[in-house]
Amino acid sequence: MVTSAAPRHAAPPVHAGPARMTATPPPIPTLLDSDVVRPAPPASRAIKAQVENFSFFYSTVQALADVSLPFRERAITALIGPSGCGKTTLLRCFNRMHDLYPGNRYVGRILLHPDNLNIVAREVDPISLRMRISMVFQKPNPFPKSIFENVAYGLRLRGIRSRSELEGRIQVALEDAALWGEVKDRLRKPAYDLSGGQQQRLCIARALANEPEVLLLDEPTSALDPIATSRIEDLIVELKERVTIAIVTHNMQQAARISDYTAFMYLGKLIEYGATAEVFQNPKCKETEDYVTGRFG
Amino acid sequence: MSTILSDNPVSGGIAGSRNGGLLPPLRSRSLLGRLAERFIESGLLLAAAFSVLITGGIVFVLVSESLPFFRHVSAREFLTDRLWTPMFADPHHGIMPLVAGTLTTTAVALLVAMPVGTLIAVWLSEFAPSRLREVLKPALELLAAVPTVVYGYFAVDFVTPALQAFIPDLPTFNMLGPGIVMGVMIIPYVSSLSEDAIRAVPMLLREGSYALGAGKFTTAMRVVYPAAFSGIASAYVLAISRAVGETMIVAIAAGQQPNLSFNPLDPAATITAFIVQVSLGDLPHGSIGYQSIFAAGVTLFVMTLGFNIIGAVMRRRYRQAY
Amino acid sequence: MIVTDRFIARTRLQDRAFSVLGATLTVGAMLFLGILLFDLARDGLSRIDWQFLTSFPSRRPGMAGVLSAWVGSLLIMLVTAVTAIPLGIAAGVYLEEYARKNWFATAIEINITNLAGVPSIIFGLMALGLFVFRFNFGQSILAGGLTLGCLILPIVIVSTREALRTIPRGMREAAYALGATRWQVARHHLLPYSLPGIATGVIIAISRAIGETAPLITIGALTFIAFLPPAPVTLDPEFAVQPLKWVWSPFTVLPIQMFNWVSRPGDDFLRNAAATGIILIGLTLTMNAVAVVLRYRMRRRIKW
Ligand SMILES: Nc1ncnc2c1ncn2[C@@H]1O[C@H](COP(=O)(O)OP(=O)(O)OP(=O)(O)O)[C@@H](O)[C@H]1O
Ligand SMILES: [Mg+2]
């Protein structure tokens, strides 16, 4: 049990920096050799969401088995693992996306703090939940509406009608998503006219406008080129000051670059969880090591 | 755990302060909102269930209104009597003359629509350039969009006189002319649906045949057509039920005299034509005429239902797993 | 196996021959439509004028017109559209977006498929027994409109479902993820995005209904109507407003009027029939053309 002794603004995370935390060099050349792995964040971060003995079933197919892991505040938690290991499945439990399709079953608990709400409990209203937890999908999926309407949509759902308030909040959301400068003159233009990277940032703005407590990102850069990817990575790192972030990624460098904690999953199970530097430099499990060093089958 | 959480900020707060105020506090959704949502869902469900009501209405009306008819006409008379004269002083109630008319016109129509429609479908999907196909398919579908009463006019005004040039003793009203017109009308039902089915056949099968040195035609007929047969069969069945239920063309151009004949050169009435003919007169509820059209309707309904079931069975039997 | 030149030549010839055959048949089918249009135009085009559109039917073919018929067709279509379109779209949305895959949804689905294969005259019999006699609507515009409404309902449902199905799952999930309810997703996203597709289906359905004759004859629509249904607003001070009185009025429609003239002896009546046919075919072909264009533009516009 960690203590909350540290005041919440006391320890801003150290961005970048070549410092390597481990004293002993890794036994094999790995990603950690690139200088981007950041130091382990203080373990004192409060827990925003806690997955507890959680399993998930697509009808009869079990996709997650007895997963337990925390998601800490003001930190980025990366979910990595080979294709089909259940990363997306886990992410989509947080906003109850699985409720949309029949037969899906949650077993166990996912607690959302501070109110200790069990996200997957039947009596929890998924609609209210989704207003607290936003999601950005793998493929940019803006609505076929204007840029303005895309960001406004979540706000309208919350009953905000006032034009000026909408405009103000949309500007903030677009600024937060580092898109404002590029679109401020064409807010009324269709979102589909934007480039893929811009579309994805628009989707992030759309998610941020709701002022979520948790932001779920499912391979948000997998459809983008390197430049768009790095813009979005910068953006994500900035955002973590304000929102708990869970990101699924297949890109090891990306996980190493931006995340504070990493969870390695395999065949529906959590194999290893820890500070990103730890997981990449001193993996405890053989599978993790194989995977992060790219030697995985 | 609670110690950690004691000074836990709500993450949205920071962003909120930049916006000059938090978003409205999140209540759980209002009861009213939930009720409205439920209400709408029930409304939509009722709309969907309405279609069942229509079917129920059809079955109920057909059964209840034809029951009086079958109370005084035995099934035996209905099926074996060779005359259908329910409105005459000396009434006969044999449905077979009407069934014969229906089957004969249907057969003529199918002899036109099935081969022509299938060949067009094969040609469109395997031979025609794709740009041309994009134009021709909707153009052919216009054939099915022409109102049937217009086709009826065309059958008496043009097709039958044209046929009389080849068959001099063809009477003005006959089953051949309207049958042919009906066949052309249902060509798009066959060609469009078959073309969809044919194009769903994977390229791999065709390549297998080409690799053996077969030509396009052989591949289309020996490989593609059998592979697509379940889809093509359902197109045929749709064509049959359209032909069996077609009314105005035959009512206008085939004559309205019940006639137990399978010769397409003869005039005859179909089940549908009989219903129209009787309906045109005054039709008090419960009269003999009223009862007889429902008896005819039941027969028609059973026939189309039978074809649809055969179609479903065929589809299952010939379904190909690619 | 020895592949001889003769074998190859035969294959070539077969392919060439079939190419020609297929093209001929397709052109032949189109030619059939062309001859039909030409035949109608030759017989009836000269008959279409202001007098024809503004006169009631008459014993004397030269003075007859289609006023009551086109007004009847218009009003019937109004009732049909008002009933079948919302009902069909609602049912389509329910089946595609709400229904779980249980026996009930399956039953509705099978039912709609079968309903689409039921001959139109059977709908007329159903309406005769139910609307005309049991519900006592009589041989009114209401009864006629509802009959055709039932007839095209499956078409509207099926095309709504097809249009909804083209919207990618990601679009729904994006909206749900922002906290939209099922109905909000449908109302704000799915229906607007699928509107062109639904409109295409609705236009096809209405064009089918305009040409339908048999079910309306079956419910006892009259063939000779020399008056118009009561207007919703009259200048007569005693009956100032009677917004829905017209639904109870007897009616005739264009295809019935045409049928009536076809069945009469004499070339003059046949010319009237042909003229009516031109109007009918003009309406239906135009609507179909609009639908085709709509579908084509939709396919080009969609980017998801
Ligand atoms: N709708 C579904 N029904 C049944 N099984 C599913 C469904 N979706 C996913 N699965 C299965 O659940 C497992 C986990 O899938 P998931 O999509 O979570 O993997 P992932 O880790 O996100 O993979 P990727 O990296 O390829 O996105 C896989 O074995 C997959 O086949
Ligand atoms: Mg995934």
Side-chain angles (χ1 to χ4, degrees):
Chain A
M1 175 66 71
V2 286
T3 68
S4 61
R8 56 185 157 98
H9 295 300
V14 187
H15 275 258
R20 200 183 285 169
M21 292 309 283
T22 41
T24 49
I28 36 162
T30 62
L31 267 179
L32 15 141
D33 283 347
S34 65
D35 290 328
V36 290
V37 175
R38 280 173 299 109
S44 60
R45 297 271 160 80
I47 292 173
K48 181 64 197 170
Q50 174 74 44
V51 180
E52 281 181 12
N53 305 105
F54 183 76
S55 302
F56 180 83
F57 297 82
Y58 290 109
S59 313
T60 52
V61 183
Q62 181 161 13
L64 294 175
D66 201 29
V67 173
S68 296
L69 99 137
F71 288 81
R72 290 174 193 276
E73 261 204 354
R74 289 189 291 125
I76 298 171
T77 305
L79 298 174
I80 61 170
S83 192
C85 69
K87 307 178 294 290
T88 300
T89 304
L90 177 60
L91 208 63
R92 288 161 62 93
C93 291
F94 278 86
N95 62 351
R96 296 269 295 268
M97 235 26 181
H98 298 299
D99 285 26
L100 300 178
Y101 308 101
N104 297 337
R105 209 146 43 84
Y106 312 95
V107 179
R109 301 200 297 174
I110 299 180
L111 293 175
L112 184 67
H113 298 307
D115 42 355
N116 236 357
L117 182 77
N118 180 12
I119 288 177
V120 295
R122 197 178 293 273
E123 62 274 10
V124 170
D125 178 29
I127 307 291
S128 313
L129 183 73
R130 289 177 195 143
M131 292 194 169
R132 296 174 62 178
I133 299 180
S134 289
M135 183 163 199
V136 174
F137 297 80
Q138 181 170 356
K139 217 178 121 220
N141 57 356
F143 300 126
K145 297 175 186 270
S146 69
I147 294 168
F148 184 92
E149 283 304 322
N150 263 279
V151 187
Y153 187 65
L155 298 168
R156 290 191 200 280
L157 286 181
R158 290 181 166 225
I160 296 177
R161 294 276 173 273
S162 134
R163 181 102 241 147
S164 58
E165 183 172 4
L166 279 177
E167 280 167 359
R169 286 181 185 277
I170 285 166
Q171 177 171 354
V172 171
L174 286 169
E175 280 168 357
D176 286 347
L179 190 59
W180 175 251
E182 289 154 73
V183 302
K184 62 173 187 283
D185 300 322
R186 46 198 280 215
L187 290 175
R188 297 290 163 189
K189 292 272 156 34
Y192 276 145
D193 291 353
L194 298 173
S195 73
Q198 289 173 325
Q199 287 186 15
Q200 193 63 305
R201 275 180 283 147
L202 179 66
C203 292
I204 294 177
R206 185 171 71 181
L208 289 177
N210 262 4
E211 290 173 14
E213 298 164 38
V214 179
L215 183 60
L216 310 169
L217 303 161
D218 189 359
E219 302 184 39
T221 60
S222 68
L224 306 180
D225 69 85
I227 293 173
T229 299
S230 87
R231 291 208 63 163
I232 288 186
E233 284 181 8
D234 293 346
L235 169 63
I236 293 170
V237 171
E238 272 172 42
L239 287 174
K240 77 169 178 186
E241 282 310 302
R242 286 186 271 138
V243 48
T244 305
I245 293 175
I247 180 169
V248 171
T249 176
H250 271 292
N251 180 334
M252 288 308 108
Q253 282 91 347
Q254 182 171 71
R257 271 196 301 267
I258 67 173
S259 73
D260 302 295
Y261 300 95
T262 296
F264 174 67
M265 296 176 65
Y266 182 49
L267 293 178
K269 292 203 184 67
L270 178 72
I271 304 295
E272 186 162 350
Y273 168 82
T276 298
E278 277 301 302
V279 173
F280 277 82
Q281 292 171 344
N282 272 333
K284 292 189 200 64
C285 301
K286 180 88 173 66
E287 288 99 335
T288 318
E289 185 178 320
D290 287 351
Y291 188 72
V292 298
T293 53
R295 263 191 277 134
F296 200 89
Chain B
M1 192 67 82
S2 59
T3 48
I4 313 175
L5 304 171
S6 55
D7 64 348
N8 219 343
V10 174
S11 301
I14 301 166
S17 57
R18 290 183 57 202
N19 285 343
L22 283 169
L23 280 172
L26 264 176
R27 304 151 267 123
S28 52
R29 279 187 300 145
S30 69
L31 190 66
L32 201 69
R34 275 165 208 262
L35 274 180
E37 192 76 17
R38 270 290 153 84
F39 183 73
I40 288 168
E41 177 164 358
S42 317
L44 297 176
L45 170 73
L46 282 182
F50 189 80
S51 67
V52 180
L53 232 55
I54 296 178
T55 307
I58 289 175
V59 173
F60 169 76
V61 168
L62 287 182
V63 170
S64 68
E65 304 288 344
S66 64
L67 223 52
F69 179 89
F70 287 111
R71 217 166 270 145
H72 65 92
V73 178
S74 69
R76 207 193 125 125
E77 183 190 350
F78 189 65
L79 293 176
T80 58
D81 197 315
R82 302 172 69 87
L83 288 176
W84 175 258
T85 54
M87 322 274 269
F88 285 16
D90 169 31
H92 284 267
H93 303 98
I95 195 72
M96 279 311 152
L98 297 183
V99 172
T102 299
L103 290 180
T104 309
T105 49
T106 299
V108 173
L110 291 179
L111 281 176
V112 174
M114 277 174 35
V116 175
T118 312
L119 290 175
I120 287 180
V122 171
W123 181 76
L124 277 178
S125 78
E126 308 291 300
F127 289 79
S130 68
R131 294 286 297 273
L132 196 62
R133 177 176 57 223
E134 295 300 312
V135 177
L136 284 178
K137 222 176 148 188
L140 278 169
E141 279 165 18
L142 291 180
L143 280 173
V146 173
T148 54
V149 64
V150 175
Y151 273 127
Y153 171 88
F154 188 58
V156 270
D157 188 66
F158 186 89
V159 175
T160 294
L163 288 171
Q164 280 166 335
F166 301 97
I167 314 166
D169 26 316
L170 187 70
T172 313
F173 296 114
N174 60 76
M175 294 190 274
L176 184 62
I180 291 172
V181 174
M182 205 150 88
V184 176
M185 178 187 82
I186 57 183
I187 282 175
Y189 288 86
V190 177
S191 67
S192 282
L193 287 179
S194 302
E195 205 260 342
D196 292 343
I198 289 171
R199 262 208 292 169
V201 173
M203 219 43 216
L204 217 63
L205 277 177
R206 295 187 180 84
E207 283 165 5
S209 168
Y210 290 139
L212 294 173
K216 267 186 161 183
F217 176 76
T218 317
T219 305
M221 284 311 176
R222 295 278 172 77
V223 177
V224 180
Y225 178 83
F229 191 73
S230 92
I232 295 175
S234 68
Y236 290 164
V237 170
L238 183 69
I240 295 176
S241 49
R242 280 293 299 185
V244 168
E246 176 43 44
T247 308
M248 296 318 292
I249 301 178
V250 283
I252 292 173
Q256 301 187 344
Q257 210 54 44
N259 179 1
L260 185 53
S261 159
F262 291 98
N263 180 357
L265 304 182
D266 286 344
T270 62
I271 299 176
T272 52
F274 169 76
I275 297 174
V276 161
Q277 182 197 9
V278 174
S279 302
L280 280 170
D282 195 24
L283 204 62
H285 190 234
S287 62
I288 309 253
Y290 183 86
Q291 292 171 9
S292 67
I293 61 173
F294 282 96
V298 168
T299 315
L300 180 65
F301 189 68
V302 169
M303 279 170 74
T304 48
L305 203 66
F307 286 124
N308 282 335
I309 291 171
I310 293 172
V313 170
M314 272 190 13
R315 245 188 331 261
R316 194 149 306 159
R317 163 119 24 117
Y318 289 102
R319 175 159 303 151
Q320 297 272 343
Y322 296 130
Chain C
M1 193 171 79
I2 301 155
V3 180
T4 63
D5 287 350
R6 265 185 61 205
F7 175 80
I8 295 174
R10 210 185 66 195
T11 304
R12 286 252 169 79
L13 192 68
Q14 265 182 350
D15 285 359
R16 189 87 37 91
F18 186 77
S19 248
V20 172
L21 177 67
T24 313
L25 288 175
T26 310
V27 170
M30 298 314 301
L31 203 63
F32 188 90
L33 185 59
I35 296 175
L36 183 150
L37 291 175
F38 177 77
D39 185 50
L40 274 182
R42 190 194 54 194
D43 293 352
L45 204 54
S46 62
R47 193 62 191 80
I48 298 181
D49 53 20
W50 188 247
Q51 175 273 327
F52 190 66
L53 294 176
T54 55
S55 304
F56 289 112
S58 158
R59 226 177 277 281
R60 271 169 296 171
M63 291 175 61
V66 288
L67 178 62
S68 48
W70 73 254
V71 171
S73 276
L74 194 74
L75 295 177
I76 291 274
M77 283 313 114
L78 192 64
V79 175
T80 302
V82 162
T83 50
I85 296 173
L87 212 59
I89 293 177
V93 168
Y94 181 83
L95 292 173
E96 208 54 36
E97 304 297 327
Y98 282 78
R100 301 252 145 160
K101 286 270 159 282
N102 55 17
W103 65 269
F104 183 69
T106 314
I108 294 182
E109 214 148 302
I110 293 175
N111 175 55
I112 289 168
T113 317
N114 280 328
L115 215 48
V118 171
S120 64
I121 198 164
I122 298 282
F123 282 87
L125 287 174
M126 182 270 286
L128 177 66
L130 226 50
F131 300 154
V132 176
F133 289 119
R134 214 163 282 268
F135 300 164
N136 271 321
F137 294 165
Q139 284 131 0
S140 61
I141 290 177
L142 180 64
L146 288 179
T147 309
L148 297 188
C150 292
L151 181 70
I152 66 168
L153 188 66
I155 309 179
V156 180
I157 295 177
V158 169
S159 51
T160 301
R161 296 188 65 179
E162 274 168 9
L164 289 173
R165 237 174 271 155
T166 62
I167 300 175
R169 208 167 73 167
M171 211 50 67
R172 293 174 176 80
E173 293 191 345
Y176 279 118
L178 290 171
T181 63
R182 220 169 258 276
W183 173 241
Q184 284 168 331
V185 172
R187 174 74 194 74
H188 300 153
H189 301 281
L190 305 178
L191 286 175
Y193 307 160
S194 58
L195 195 63
I198 296 176
T200 308
V202 164
I203 292 173
I204 300 270
I206 295 285
S207 98
R208 163 111 193 262
I210 281 189
E212 273 300 339
T213 325
L216 295 181
I217 293 179
T218 308
I219 67 165
L222 302 180
T223 49
F224 187 95
I225 294 255
F227 55 87
L228 290 181
V233 182
T234 53
L235 295 177
D236 188 339
E238 272 181 62
F239 309 101
V241 183
Q242 38 184 14
L244 286 179
K245 201 169 174 199
W246 56 269
V247 303
W248 303 108
S249 169
F251 67 95
T252 190
V253 291
L254 286 166
I256 292 184
Q257 188 64 67
M258 177 171 177
F259 174 58
N260 178 254
W261 280 329
V262 173
S263 351
R264 292 208 197 181
D267 279 351
D268 287 341
F269 280 119
L270 268 187
R271 285 180 54 216
N272 284 351
T276 317
I278 293 171
I279 297 174
L280 265 177
I281 219 170
L283 284 172
T284 50
L285 292 192
T286 308
M287 292 175 95
N288 275 270
V290 169
V292 167
V293 170
L294 211 60
R295 196 182 306 163
Y296 178 74
R297 296 225 335 228
M298 191 164 61
R299 219 182 295 160
R300 287 192 25 185
R301 204 205 51 182
I302 285 180
K303 295 200 193 144
W304 46 54

